[in-house]
Each structure stands twice: as structure tokens, then as C-alpha cells.
Amino acid sequence: MSEEGKKTSSRLLKEIQDNTYARAWEAKEKGEPVVWATSICPDELLNAMDLATVYPENQAGVIGARKEAMKFIDQAEGVGYGPDTCSYARVNMGYVDLQQSDSQDIPLPDLIFSSTNICYTVQKWYENLSKKLNIPMILFDMPFNHEYEVTDEATAYIRAQLEHAITQLEEFTGRKMDYDKLAHAMEINNETCEWWKKATDMGRFRPSPLDGFKMFNYMALMVANRSFEDSRDCFRLWYEELEQRKAEGKGPWSSAEEQYRIIWDGIACWPHLSTTYKLLKKYGINMVTSTYPQSWYKVYETNDLDGMARSYTGNYANRNLDFGETSMEERIKNFDIDGVLFHTNRSCKLMDFRTYEVQRRILAKTGCPSVVFDGDQTDPRVFSEGQYETRVQALMEMMDKYKEQKRKGEL
């Protein structure tokens, strides 16, 4: 097969995304229900019920990356949503009013499926959608983990909600849950997550065969398609491609060498994705890992609702400060990190509030330098290219000193 016709993970990624949206539109045209769901929700339940599902967060990211966000943000702010509201929510609420995007259209939902394990903004955001569109909402209330480990009480509470959600889905569809199909969806979810982890862990090697910004592209499948076989196959193919690059001694880029290895903490600045990426590459800085993509690693025993409950409430954004610190320290060690770039994402208040304390702790524990820059996941108005480059340059100076200290054994 020619290189042009060769199946690659990036091509498979696009096919899967296109098919996901096409399936939703086909369902809507047939009069079948369409679900809007939050990221890191137990989508295995939706898969097992054969419900066409789309994720407004994915759509908002695409709209942001293609420079179309302000049309929807202006609409949402014009009807009363404040600029401090999550920009994903503003884009989505604006889209519900306008119902047309040059970047990515999605059909309006018949059911809302929401989980608070990413933040509590989604609870009110999706509640407003439910009221505005006069459609039912299934909500998973996943309490924040103030203790280091997920408690048995929290697990039992969420397991009961999983069981109730199955009943709600049965009432909504008029069909009984196919538990064999649910078990298969759970199994595929686990396999997909393992291949995702294997691929993203390739950043541990020096030079990294992984161009870390590509994680932000592939992450769309972890948001929307974890329990589907084609997603598992895509990540397995991506891992094999990265293994081949490693075997050939190739780094992340063909046109530049990896000189610095960093953690990117937070969501991407979608409207300024190219700017943030190209500036790092210009200085030989590779984002080899991130705290954000690891949130979609949801692994548990098949048919174990307790394990499923514990996994879904135990993601990074729903854990306490000590867990965040430990996770960061482990990544600094395991990925041979030279520095950390914290994105103070104005949309994500929970993560913003803890940034400076995590920064202080990792410096005290590891000596690893870091800087913070201002931005937003979808609102383009918050980011300053000048500030970003100045912060990156400052980080480079600190990383040079840190690397020299490590070389001399002073740390």
C-alpha cells in the first residue's frame, strides 16, 4: 500500500469523529433520540442502550480552534450569561440559540446526561439546557474527594446513581438494559484506556517520539468514544506508530530537536492552539505529558459497578490538593521533566484556584521550575501572545539552571 493510502491513526481518528456526528444526525432524521453528554460521564451505559451521543465540550473545542467562538459567546453574553461563566458553556448556550456553526454542527438533544466529576458548572449548564429545551436530564452527583482516596461511602452513593440511571434510561427508551452489551462496553472501555495510556506514556522516552500537543487531538475519542472498538484500535495503532518512531530514534519533530521536556497543566487554549504550540517548538520545548488527558483513564473490573463508581469519581479534577501534588511529582520524575507550564484557564475555576499552591509545593519538593500564563479554553480574549512568550522565555532560563543543578547532583 502506498503511503498516501496507508491507514494511519490520525486518519482513523478523523473517520471515527466524522462517523460519530453522522450517526447522531442520522438518528435525529429517523426520529430516534440524541443524547448530549458531559466528558468523563459513564458513557458505557449510553453505548449499551444504542443511544447516539455527542459531546458539547468537543464541539466547543472545535469551534474555538477554528476561530468561531466569539459568535456564540457574544450570543450567550447578550442574553445574560456572564463572561466569568465557563466558555464551553457560553459557546454551547449560544449554539442552542443560533443552531448553525461553520466549524461543526450537532443535532439538538432529546436527553441530557451530565456528571459533576469534572466540575459543578456542568450541573447548572445542563440543567439550563434541560429547561430551555424541555427535555429530561440524568445527573450523576459525584462528590468532591476531600480525602486522598475515594471513600467507600462515595462509592456506594455513586453506584446507587448508576443503578438508578439504568432505570431512567430504560424508562426513556422503553427498552431493557442489555447487560451482556454493557459488559462488552465496559471491557472495550478498559482496553481503550490501556492503549491510550500506553501511547501517551511514550513521552517518557528521551527524545520523546510523542509530540505532546497531539494528545489534545486524540483526546476527543477519550471524551466521546471510550467504549467503542474503533477507538481502541485507533489508540493501538497510534501506540504502534510511536513505537516505530522510537525504534528509529526519532524525536517529536522532523524539523527541530527536543531540548526541553515540560508538563502542560490544564486544558489547551483552543483559539490559540497553533500559537502556543509553534512557540514552544521554536525553542525546542516538547510537552511530553499533561495532567489533563490522564483524567480519561477509567479502568475497572468488567461488571463491577462499585469499581466503575470509584473510577468515575476518582479522576484528577475531582481529587484533593494532595492528590494533585502527588500526581504532578510522579510525572516530573517518571517523564524526566525540566519544567511545568501552568495554563491559568479562566473558565476552569477549580483548577485555577489550586494552581499556585501546587506550583509552590512541587518547587519545594522537587526543585522543578514552573511558570503560569493567562488564557482560556475557548474565549480568545483572555490570551496574550506577548505574555505567553515572555513566560516561556523565563521558564527556559529556569530550566537551564535546573538541568545544570541536576547534572551536578545538587538536587
Side-chain angles (χ1 to χ4, degrees), residues 316-372:
Y316 180 81
N318 206 39
R319 302 293 283 272
N320 71 5
L321 191 60
D322 292 338
F323 182 87
E325 173 197 346
T326 301
S327 297
M328 185 73 75
E329 290 171 3
E330 289 175 350
R331 288 186 173 270
I332 288 170
K333 177 182 177 182
N334 295 336
F335 287 80
D336 195 17
I337 294 299
D338 301 316
V340 183
L341 188 58
F342 287 94
H343 171 203
T344 304
N345 176 8
R346 296 300 176 85
S347 281
C348 200
K349 304 298 188 293
L350 170 64
M351 304 310 293
D352 284 357
F353 291 156
R354 60 200 277 171
T355 293
Y356 290 98
E357 178 61 15
V358 172
Q359 183 184 33
R360 185 190 67 80
R361 290 189 185 191
I362 63 169
L363 178 62
K365 290 284 186 68
T366 70
C368 185
S370 61
V371 294
V372 178

Side-chain angles (χ1 to χ4, degrees), residues 24-41:
W25 280 110
E26 182 181 358
K28 180 61 72 173
E29 290 166 3
K30 290 181 177 179
E32 298 172 357
V34 172
V35 181
W36 278 10
T38 57
S39 61
I40 324 183
C41 73

Side-chain angles (χ1 to χ4, degrees), residues 110-358:
D110 303 285
L111 173 68
I112 296 295
F113 199 75
S114 177
S115 174
T116 64
N117 57 352
I118 51 173
C119 69
Y120 278 88
T121 297
V122 297
Q123 179 175 341
K124 303 309 294 183
W125 165 11
Y126 277 58
E127 183 180 285
N128 283 7
L129 287 173
S130 175
K131 290 180 178 179
K132 184 180 181 71
L133 299 173
N134 193 28
I135 59 174
M137 172 179 176
I138 296 175
L139 173 69
F140 295 92
D141 175 31
M142 298 201 180
F144 187 82
N145 294 284
H146 294 281
E147 299 181 34
Y148 191 87
E149 300 293 347
V150 177
T151 65
D152 292 340
E153 291 80 6
T155 300
Y157 177 60
I158 296 161
R159 181 202 168 108
Q161 293 181 66
L162 290 169
E163 293 171 340
H164 181 52
I166 291 173
T167 301
Q168 291 175 291
L169 288 171
E170 289 176 335
E171 292 172 351
F172 174 75
T173 61
R175 295 181 277 108
K176 287 294 185 181
M177 171 65 74
D178 183 335
Y179 282 93
D180 289 337
K181 193 163 187 174
L182 177 58
H184 181 68
M186 291 175 165
E187 181 181 352
I188 297 302
N189 168 80
N190 289 341
E191 292 176 5
T192 301
C193 289
E194 291 294 354
W195 284 111
W196 164 258
K197 186 175 187 302
K198 285 182 178 181
T200 56
D201 276 355
M202 292 299 290
R204 295 185 181 211
F205 296 98
R206 185 184 281 270
S208 167
L210 171 67
D211 175 351
F213 264 68
K214 290 185 178 178
M215 283 191 285
F216 290 136
N217 294 330
Y218 286 88
M219 193 173 63
L221 296 190
M222 291 302 286
V223 173
N225 302 79
R226 287 187 309 279
S227 57
F228 290 83
E229 294 178 7
D230 52 4
S231 295
R232 174 203 61 194
D233 297 342
C234 181
F235 290 131
R236 178 166 53 198
L237 180 56
W238 186 30
Y239 168 75
E240 291 169 352
E241 290 167 351
L242 292 170
E243 274 284 7
Q244 182 64 33
R245 290 188 64 86
K246 173 178 169 288
E248 295 172 358
K250 293 180 178 178
W253 316 295
S254 58
S255 58
E257 291 186 5
E258 176 186 276
Q259 299 182 48
Y260 303 94
R261 300 163 57 84
I262 67 165
I263 296 173
W264 175 291
D265 183 72
I267 305 175
C269 290
W270 296 115
H272 305 283
L273 191 66
S274 177
T275 298
T276 52
Y277 170 67
K278 288 180 179 178
L279 191 137
L280 292 179
K281 183 180 176 182
K282 180 177 79 171
Y283 292 119
I285 302 172
N286 186 22
M287 184 262 281
V288 296
T289 188
S290 172
T291 52
Y292 184 56
Q294 69 173 304
S295 291
W296 282 272
Y297 181 70
K298 304 286 101 188
V299 173
Y300 53 88
E301 292 294 327
T302 298
N303 288 325
D304 178 12
L305 286 182
D306 283 332
M308 186 183 196
R310 192 177 297 274
S311 180
Y312 272 99
T313 195
N315 65 287
Y316 180 81
N318 206 39
R319 302 293 283 272
N320 71 5
L321 191 60
D322 292 338
F323 182 87
E325 173 197 346
T326 301
S327 297
M328 185 73 75
E329 290 171 3
E330 289 175 350
R331 288 186 173 270
I332 288 170
K333 177 182 177 182
N334 295 336
F335 287 80
D336 195 17
I337 294 299
D338 301 316
V340 183
L341 188 58
F342 287 94
H343 171 203
T344 304
N345 176 8
R346 296 300 176 85
S347 281
C348 200
K349 304 298 188 293
L350 170 64
M351 304 310 293
D352 284 357
F353 291 156
R354 60 200 277 171
T355 293
Y356 290 98
E357 178 61 15
V358 172

